[in-house]
Amino acid sequence: MTKLFKKLPNHIAIIMDGNGRWATRRGMPRNYGHREGVNAIERTIDACLKYNIKYCTFFAFSTENWKRNKEEIDGIFELLREYISKNDNIFLDKQVKLKHIGIIEPFPDDLKSCLMDMEKKTEKFDKLTITFALNYGGRDEIVRAVNQLLKSKETDINEKSFSLCLDTQDLPDPDFVIRTSGEQRVSNFMLYQMAYSEFYFPKICWPSFNEKHFVKALKMFEKRKRRYGGV
Ligand code: IPE
Ligand code: IPE
Ligand code: MG
């Protein structure tokens, strides 16, 4: 499969956007869009396995998403809990490592415990790492890292030691950031880590995202010339 592409991103980070609009256009409640969005996550994980992607991170809940109404927030938490604890668990079946970034402390206890349980059960798997960004904000992450360094009394801080204080300490920087729904902004996602990421903004809303869109995205990435400031 890998031979289909001359080069592949090692880490794809996805800002899954457009669930609400997708549902509203169909005369359905916003949470119906989030439910269909979970199916798109599952399709994307399968595509990562098929095309040999090593890391994929999904932005699932931002530090700003607490502004939404309680019903929508509770609905998202319930979907996540259901998804992570499903009996035919996809992470164990597919031998995929599950992680999270962000502060899950304010989340419901049942969601936290099933997430931590699944992280523990899958920690040894290494072909694909799936990370959910939950109550995650890039600015919050940077400020938490600064506070951690202040407490450590460390005085000689460099990019390496700083990045080790971020939630992403054991993840490579994302090579490729995909945001669906046509919005072209980062909305506080992985601010430090995106320094040299390639971006792609397909118009499709997240619940409709499928293998065909994923392959198109990989083809876009294949054409990019990354220069990192060189010539
Ligand atoms: C993204 O879809 C999912 C989350 C932020 C949890 P939205 O819910 O933002 O959908 P739109 O942007 O309102 O259509
Ligand atoms: C970004 O989407 C957050 C997630 C995908 C979880 P939003 O829909 O919350 O972002 P804005 O409000 O349009 O910038
Ligand atoms: Mg949105």
Side-chain angles (χ1 to χ4, degrees):
M1 269 306 163
T2 319
K3 289 197 192 75
L4 270 179
F5 301 96
K6 282 199 251 357
K7 62 173 181 190
L8 283 168
N10 184 38
H11 183 181
I12 301 178
I14 303 181
I15 303 175
M16 309 181 283
D17 200 14
N19 292 356
R21 276 164 285 167
W22 183 93
T24 306
R25 276 179 212 147
R26 286 161 178 76
M28 298 296 279
R30 292 179 57 84
N31 278 346
Y32 177 65
H34 296 313
R35 180 167 288 282
E36 286 303 312
V38 174
N39 294 330
I41 293 176
E42 199 149 341
R43 287 194 291 272
T44 304
I45 293 175
D46 285 340
C48 286
L49 289 166
K50 181 165 171 186
Y51 296 98
N52 206 19
I53 303 300
K54 295 278 170 235
Y55 296 88
C56 185
T57 298
F58 295 101
F59 198 7
F61 195 85
S62 76
T63 45
E64 288 70 36
N65 286 147
W66 295 105
K67 291 176 189 158
R68 299 185 179 205
N69 73 40
K70 191 175 176 321
E71 191 190 342
E72 178 168 351
I73 294 174
D74 288 346
I76 293 172
F77 293 163
E78 178 54 25
L79 281 170
L80 282 167
R81 196 194 53 73
E82 215 180 90
Y83 179 60
I84 294 166
S85 60
K86 260 203 270 188
N87 286 334
D88 56 332
N89 194 283
I90 65 145
F91 300 102
L92 288 174
D93 283 359
K94 297 178 184 172
Q95 306 215 323
V96 165
K97 179 171 174 169
L98 178 68
K99 279 178 57 64
H100 78 276
I101 54 173
I103 298 295
I104 59 168
E105 200 271 323
F107 283 15
D109 287 338
D110 57 352
L111 171 55
K112 279 188 283 194
S113 58
C114 79
L115 176 65
M116 286 180 323
D117 181 49
M118 196 50 65
E119 288 184 342
K120 186 99 201 97
K121 284 183 183 150
T122 61
E123 69 186 353
K124 298 250 152 50
F125 298 145
D126 60 3
K127 66 180 169 191
L128 170 64
T129 299
I130 293 296
T131 304
F132 282 102
L134 299 169
N135 188 25
Y136 173 87
R139 287 184 173 178
D140 173 68
E141 180 191 37
I142 289 168
V143 171
R144 283 189 281 109
V146 170
N147 277 313
Q148 192 180 321
L149 286 162
L150 285 172
K151 274 194 203 114
S152 76
K153 307 263 191 304
E154 181 67 63
T155 52
D156 191 18
I157 294 149
N158 55 39
E159 289 184 11
K160 177 88 188 139
S161 59
F162 185 78
S163 63
L164 287 175
C165 296
L166 297 171
D167 298 351
T168 49
Q169 53 178 265
D170 44 15
L171 293 175
D173 285 345
D175 306 284
F176 195 31
V177 177
I178 301 171
R179 180 173 188 148
T180 55
S181 87
E183 304 296 348
Q184 303 191 13
R185 53 177 172 263
V186 298
S187 301
N188 203 9
F189 189 44
M190 288 202 168
L191 300 179
Y192 188 86
Q193 298 86 341
M194 279 180 180
Y196 270 101
S197 302
E198 296 293 328
F199 288 82
Y200 175 51
F201 301 105
K203 291 225 162 51
I204 193 89
C205 284
W206 178 249
S208 298
F209 193 82
N210 60 29
E211 184 182 342
K212 189 184 84 196
H213 304 108
F214 187 85
V215 168
K216 190 167 174 208
L218 293 181
K219 285 188 179 143
M220 299 295 291
F221 180 81
E222 194 181 29
K223 287 194 213 125
R224 304 285 175 93
K225 293 213 165 35
R226 304 178 79 188
R227 286 190 284 273
Y228 302 99
V231 286

